[in-house]
Amino acid sequence: MKILRNAAVVAAIGLATSITAAPAMASADQYLVARCAKGNFGIEIRARYLTSGTKHVFNQLSWRISGNVGSKNTVRFFFMQDAQPDFVFKAFNYEGGKTGSRNIWVTRPKAHQVFVRFGVRFDTSASSDPGCTYQTRGI
C-alpha cells in the first residue's frame, strides 16, 4: 500500500510539473510578409517572430528585391505599435544588394497590436531612384 501511495505522489508531482511548464513555452516561428513595387522594381520582406505567453519577439528580417537594380539599395524597417496615433518603437536601415537577412531582437508586450512598415529606395540607372513603401498585417 505504501508503494502505491508513493507512486501516486510521484505521478502527481510529474503531472503538476508538466502543467506549469507548458505556458512558458513559445509558439513556433511565424512570419509577417508584405510586398510593394514601383514600375519594374519590387521588394518582398519577411519579419520572423514568435509569440510567447507575454511577448511578441521578432528575431529576423529578410528581403528580396526584384528588377534590374544596383548594389546600393536602401531598405528601412519600422516596428510600429498600432495606437492613436501609430508610433515607431524600433527602426533599422540597411544598404546593399538584391537580398538580405539580419538577425534582430525586438520585443513588445503581447497585448500591444504591432506591425512592420517598410520602405525601399531602388538603386537604378535612372536620374532619380524610385521607391515604394508598405506595411504588414498587424499581430
Side-chain angles (χ1 to χ4, degrees):
M1 191 66 154
K2 190 174 187 180
I3 294 173
L4 288 176
R5 263 189 306 211
N6 289 344
V9 168
V10 169
I13 290 171
L15 179 60
T17 302
S18 67
I19 290 172
T20 57
M25 294 175 58
S27 64
D29 287 342
Q30 300 177 65
Y31 293 87
L32 294 178
V33 179
R35 296 166 192 81
C36 73
K38 180 71 172 187
N40 294 327
F41 311 103
I43 185 171
E44 176 183 279
I45 68 104
R46 292 175 175 265
R48 185 174 69 189
Y49 71 97
L50 50 90
T51 301
S52 70
T54 60
K55 292 182 181 181
H56 298 299
V57 179
F58 291 89
N59 56 21
Q60 187 180 65
L61 293 171
S62 60
W63 61 95
R64 186 180 66 226
I65 295 174
S66 59
N68 188 17
V69 296
S71 62
K72 295 190 181 200
N73 301 291
T74 302
V75 183
R76 294 182 174 95
F77 296 91
F78 303 94
F79 287 83
M80 310 288 296
Q81 181 172 332
D82 191 357
Q84 297 297 325
D86 295 343
F87 67 91
V88 177
F89 61 89
K90 189 70 175 178
F92 295 96
N93 293 319
Y94 300 108
E95 186 175 292
K98 294 180 88 166
T99 63
S101 180
R102 299 292 189 274
N103 291 329
I104 59 169
W105 187 259
V106 177
T107 64
R108 204 66 180 165
K110 187 177 174 181
H112 295 182
Q113 175 91 5
V114 296
F115 61 94
V116 180
R117 186 170 287 155
F118 66 96
V120 62
R121 183 65 53 199
F122 300 107
D123 178 26
T124 68
S125 59
S127 58
S128 65
D129 291 335
C132 66
T133 60
Y134 200 62
Q135 69 188 37
T136 68
R137 65 178 172 82
I139 57 168

